[in-house]
Amino acid sequence: MKFSDQEKAILREIQQDSAASLATLAERVGMAQSTLWRKLQEFDATGIVTARVALLDPAKVGAKLCVFATVSLQDHSEASLAAFSRLIDRHPEILECHAITGSADYMLKIHTADVESYEHFMTNALLRSDVVRAVHSSFSLKALKRTTSLPV
């Protein structure tokens, strides 16, 4: 989809601060509040904006450890894929799940309190699943960049 420069500015601003008031956003993008409000309604209606959320500091909410885990499944039957999807949905520790190319089937981004919590989660959730063949974990040492903003 093509966006005007002003629409791109709106999208950048709301990605940075979705709680900004309409007046503040209108001033930042140089647009009348009523026009901006209609544009925001359009972004919502067309599914461009899917949610407005608060981003939390993982360390301050007890989820400091970030782990990237690759998961290989036993097989790729419909039943196995559905079971894996249910497993992912049941665990709030899993923030993201991507089907990937390469030697594994999925890449998970997982946040837990510490290594012991992750070991418990991996042992009791991932590895006990009948559909999971293998899990390989990489621990994040430091986040050099952490954003949810898409380039528009």
Side-chain angles (χ1 to χ4, degrees):
M1 181 172 209
K2 293 211 175 219
F3 298 105
S4 70
D5 289 343
Q6 205 163 38
E7 289 171 329
K8 289 178 185 178
I10 295 167
L11 293 171
R12 283 191 296 270
E13 287 294 331
I14 63 174
Q15 285 187 99
Q16 292 302 310
D17 183 6
S18 68
S21 70
L22 195 60
T24 300
L25 284 174
E27 182 179 319
R28 288 181 186 165
V29 299
M31 182 181 279
Q33 288 184 40
S34 60
T35 306
L36 174 62
W37 183 84
R38 283 191 300 277
K39 188 53 69 176
L40 291 172
Q41 295 302 305
E42 179 185 321
F43 289 160
D44 288 343
T46 58
I48 293 167
V49 173
T50 59
R52 288 180 175 77
V53 299
L55 300 177
L56 307 180
D57 181 326
K60 292 180 180 176
V61 297
K64 184 176 183 176
L65 182 68
C66 179
V67 181
F68 297 95
T70 56
V71 177
S72 298
L73 300 183
Q74 296 286 2
D75 63 68
H76 297 95
S77 68
E78 297 245 355
S80 291
L81 296 175
F84 184 69
S85 182
R86 287 190 302 274
L87 172 71
I88 295 307
D89 288 342
R90 277 195 312 267
H91 293 282
E93 301 92 334
I94 302 171
L95 301 185
E96 296 181 29
C97 176
H98 300 267
I100 59 172
T101 61
S103 60
D105 299 309
Y106 294 95
M107 171 75 72
L108 308 180
K109 181 179 180 184
I110 301 165
H111 268 269
T112 62
D114 50 33
V115 173
E116 293 79 16
S117 298
Y118 177 69
E119 187 274 332
H120 182 266
F121 166 75
M122 187 177 69
T123 302
N124 293 299
L126 294 178
L127 295 177
R128 289 226 175 126
S129 170
D130 293 337
V131 300
V132 173
R133 180 172 41 92
V135 177
H136 297 279
S137 305
S138 296
F139 295 86
S140 173
L141 300 176
K142 174 172 54 172
L144 300 178
K145 182 176 182 178
R146 185 173 160 248
T147 184
T148 60
S149 296
L150 295 173
V152 292

